[in-house]
Amino acid sequence: ISAQWNPSDQNNLASLPPFVQHRIHALEESKAYDSMEYKAIDSVLSTFFTLRTAPPPDCFGDSAAGVNEEVYVGMQGASEFTISGVLGDLDLTSRLPELSVPVLLTHGKYDTMRPSTVKAIQDQIPISERVMFPHSGHVSMIDDAGLMNDVVASFIHRVEEGVEIVGMNEGETTKAAAAAAADGTVEEGDAVKDSP
């Protein structure tokens, strides 16, 4: 989670004005998660890094309303900017090479799950593809809905057909994005695909 504060990783919390960064850190140090200021910052930053579509669709509001806060905070911690719950020290990276099925990793360009983190995960999975969605925060299935559907459908189709998941260089478009571009659904280059 520290990658979201890394100044060399663009479009993350380190890209915020220094004053905002200092306020977040100060509020977290004092554990002022219930303060009006913390909630206001979290609400604004959610539109940058979580769901960038405005106004939020009903499905997102309904989902958020159904969150069990006790379970969520117990796992994530009270902060949205650091992990301090039971997941705070959980690291299963060493077990990722045990995966024997193809894995599709997706993330948004503005996601708090930073590209460097997703790439580190991908590097440990034997058969995997990674797709970064160009307009998305953490909720790519809403921010880049059509492209997400195309990418997932293409991946599932290729896996079911036994097509080998082969490496592609950063910057190449997914087959799904290229096919969608051909029929005008999205512009070619909208999604970035990377495989080990």
Side-chain angles (χ1 to χ4, degrees):
I1 197 92
S2 62
Q4 61 185 330
W5 291 100
N6 184 343
S8 66
D9 201 353
Q10 297 177 355
N11 305 314
N12 66 357
L13 295 172
S15 68
L16 296 171
F19 172 78
V20 177
Q21 293 182 51
H22 294 305
R23 288 306 303 149
I24 291 171
H25 289 304
L27 291 164
E28 293 216 330
E29 286 175 21
S30 64
K31 300 192 183 316
Y33 307 120
D34 290 329
S35 72
M36 289 181 62
E37 182 183 15
Y38 188 88
K39 288 180 180 182
I41 291 172
D42 180 43
S43 178
V44 170
L45 293 184
S46 290
T47 66
F48 286 76
F49 304 112
T50 304
L51 178 67
R52 297 172 58 84
T53 300
D58 291 343
C59 62
F60 184 79
D62 293 346
S63 177
V67 169
N68 181 319
E69 288 292 324
E70 183 179 350
V71 172
Y72 182 82
V73 171
M75 292 175 65
Q76 159 79 25
S79 169
E80 287 298 322
F81 308 109
T82 58
I83 296 180
S84 60
V86 296
L87 296 179
D89 294 322
L90 182 66
D91 183 358
L92 300 175
T93 309
S94 65
R95 299 207 47 208
L96 292 175
E98 299 172 24
L99 293 172
S100 61
V101 296
V103 175
L104 175 63
L105 301 167
T106 65
H107 60 102
K109 180 177 180 179
Y110 304 96
D111 200 330
T112 51
M113 181 60 72
R114 303 308 305 146
S116 59
T117 302
V118 181
K119 179 74 172 125
I121 293 168
Q122 180 192 20
D123 289 345
Q124 298 298 314
I125 300 174
I127 308 167
S128 64
E129 286 184 357
R130 176 177 65 91
V131 179
M132 178 180 7
F133 294 95
H135 310 105
S136 300
H138 194 61
V139 190
S140 299
M141 69 288 297
I142 294 175
D143 289 333
D144 278 309
L147 191 55
M148 170 67 90
N149 290 342
D150 292 343
V151 165
V152 171
S154 172
F155 183 80
I156 290 171
H157 174 76
R158 288 180 287 124
V159 169
E160 288 178 344
E161 293 295 315
V163 175
E164 183 178 1
I165 304 299
V166 296
M168 294 187 75
N169 297 321
E170 187 81 29
E172 290 185 25
T173 60
T174 64
K175 292 179 185 178
D183 70 13
T185 308
V186 295
E187 294 182 22
E188 190 163 347
D190 270 357
V192 175
K193 176 180 178 178
D194 195 17
S195 298

